[in-house]
Amino acid sequence: MYSDDLKNSYPIFDTHSHYDDERFDEIRDELFEEMNQNGVCGVVTCGCDAASSKKALKMAEDYDFVYAAVGIHPGNIDSGTTVEQIRALAAHKKCVAIGEIGLDYYWVDDNKQSQIEIFEKQILLAKELDLPILVHDRDAHGDTLDILKKHKPKGVVHCYSGSVEMAQEIIKLGMYIGVGGVITFKNAKKLPDVVKIIPDELLLVETDCPYLAPEPYRGKLCHSGMIKFTAQKIAEIRGTTTQNILELTSKNAKILFNIK
Ligand code: NI
């Protein structure tokens, strides 16, 4: 799975992934081994409901460098998963965050109130358990920012897609900004300007795999090793080296997720 251009010796910490996806079923063991041999020192795989959160915890048990997040994704609020179930799953020693949680008005916008309610309940849970949150915000920038300002949780806005102005507000809250493969796409209009202003200590990298593979792998099955290309692009925009971006983002991830 690792062609020569993916070989890498710098530390890669993928702060957002979905390795429970069935597309990984046949290749997961081999892929994880190759990732681990090529610098991937940490991966957070996220749950979207109880079933996928349990799968995330199982993977975290099976592989040392894999950590789990548990939560109810805004697209899965009808899954029947309750916040109490998430509370129970979050007690696992390799659960490092509550996520993926947030608001998504792109796919469904006729249940905004329920989305907001479940999001806020999970933020309160995270605060009670002293865990960071992994925030999904798609076409819901205004409401997402209002809720983050109201509760001031610790965590990361993943696969950031908002404006520079909103990024400034998130930075003021001390929250991290997750940058994914989209930064390598030609149509990433506002994102390069956002990437310029994120302070070193609040920058994170991620895949959201199996989705959003960076160039030159756009459209292919994505995995954490491809973060090399995301980091390369971020380094170019910030006038530094890929090594520097990978080292500082790995350090930031370990601080956020309290990994020794
Ligand atoms: Ni995701």
Side-chain angles (χ1 to χ4, degrees):
M1 263 152 282
Y2 264 72
S3 44
D4 281 349
D5 64 342
L6 283 165
K7 300 269 185 237
N8 165 65
S9 55
Y10 305 131
I12 289 176
F13 198 117
D14 184 355
T15 57
H16 193 107
S17 65
H18 298 273
Y19 280 109
D20 61 304
D21 192 281
E22 61 185 20
R23 275 167 278 188
F24 293 115
D25 284 352
E26 300 289 308
I27 57 168
R28 196 176 289 110
D29 287 329
E30 193 191 335
L31 176 62
F32 278 9
E33 196 170 311
E34 282 190 273
M35 275 167 30
N36 211 208
Q37 281 162 9
N38 283 283
V40 179
C41 62
V43 162
V44 174
T45 189
C46 313
C48 292
D49 56 16
S52 59
S53 296
K54 281 178 195 162
K55 282 189 191 168
L57 291 170
K58 174 78 172 76
M59 282 182 277
E61 283 171 4
D62 290 348
Y63 304 94
D64 273 355
F65 72 106
V66 176
Y67 299 86
V70 300
I72 307 167
H73 186 286
N76 297 61
I77 57 172
D78 295 328
S79 61
T81 301
T82 63
V83 175
E84 283 314 301
Q85 279 176 291
I86 297 303
R87 174 194 296 277
L89 294 169
H92 194 287
K93 66 176 191 312
K94 284 198 83 182
C95 171
V96 294
I98 299 295
E100 169 170 5
I101 65 175
L103 302 175
D104 193 321
Y105 299 163
Y106 177 81
W107 292 108
V108 191
D109 66 358
D110 61 358
N111 65 355
K112 289 185 181 176
Q113 263 333 101
S114 331
Q115 287 195 36
I116 289 171
E117 195 184 310
I118 299 276
F119 184 29
E120 289 196 288
K121 277 187 182 164
Q122 293 183 97
I123 291 177
L124 295 176
L125 173 67
K127 290 181 76 168
E128 184 193 321
L129 301 176
D130 197 25
L131 286 172
I133 58 171
L134 311 180
V135 180
H136 171 103
D137 159 27
R138 188 153 186 205
D139 290 356
H141 301 324
D143 285 353
T144 300
L145 189 56
D146 285 347
I147 290 170
L148 295 178
K149 278 183 176 167
K150 177 175 162 193
H151 295 287
K152 300 188 172 56
K154 56 181 182 180
V156 51
V157 179
H158 116 82
C159 198
Y160 185 77
S161 62
S163 63
V164 169
E165 293 72 26
M166 180 174 169
Q168 280 160 341
E169 298 286 320
I170 290 165
I171 291 163
K172 254 192 254 166
L173 290 169
M175 291 188 76
Y176 293 73
I177 295 183
V179 180
V182 172
I183 191 65
T184 67
F185 300 172
K186 284 203 175 64
N187 55 355
K189 294 198 182 73
K190 296 172 285 187
L191 198 52
D193 291 329
V194 171
V195 162
K196 277 181 207 154
I197 63 146
I198 305 171
D200 273 357
E201 64 277 14
L202 294 178
L203 176 67
L204 293 174
V205 287
E206 60 169 68
T207 55
D208 207 16
C209 68
Y211 314 105
L212 297 172
E215 294 287 3
Y217 286 93
R218 191 170 181 182
K220 300 268 166 45
L221 181 71
C222 182
H223 64 72
S224 306
M226 293 178 185
I227 279 182
K228 180 184 170 182
F229 295 102
T230 303
Q232 232 165 45
K233 186 68 191 182
I234 295 173
E236 197 184 299
I237 293 167
R238 290 168 72 97
T240 181
T241 61
T242 306
Q243 176 180 1
N244 177 246
I245 294 298
L246 289 176
E247 282 173 352
L248 79 89
T249 51
S250 294
K251 194 175 106 196
N252 290 344
K254 286 180 179 172
I255 292 170
L256 176 65
F257 298 121
N258 197 20
I259 294 168
K260 301 287 177 302

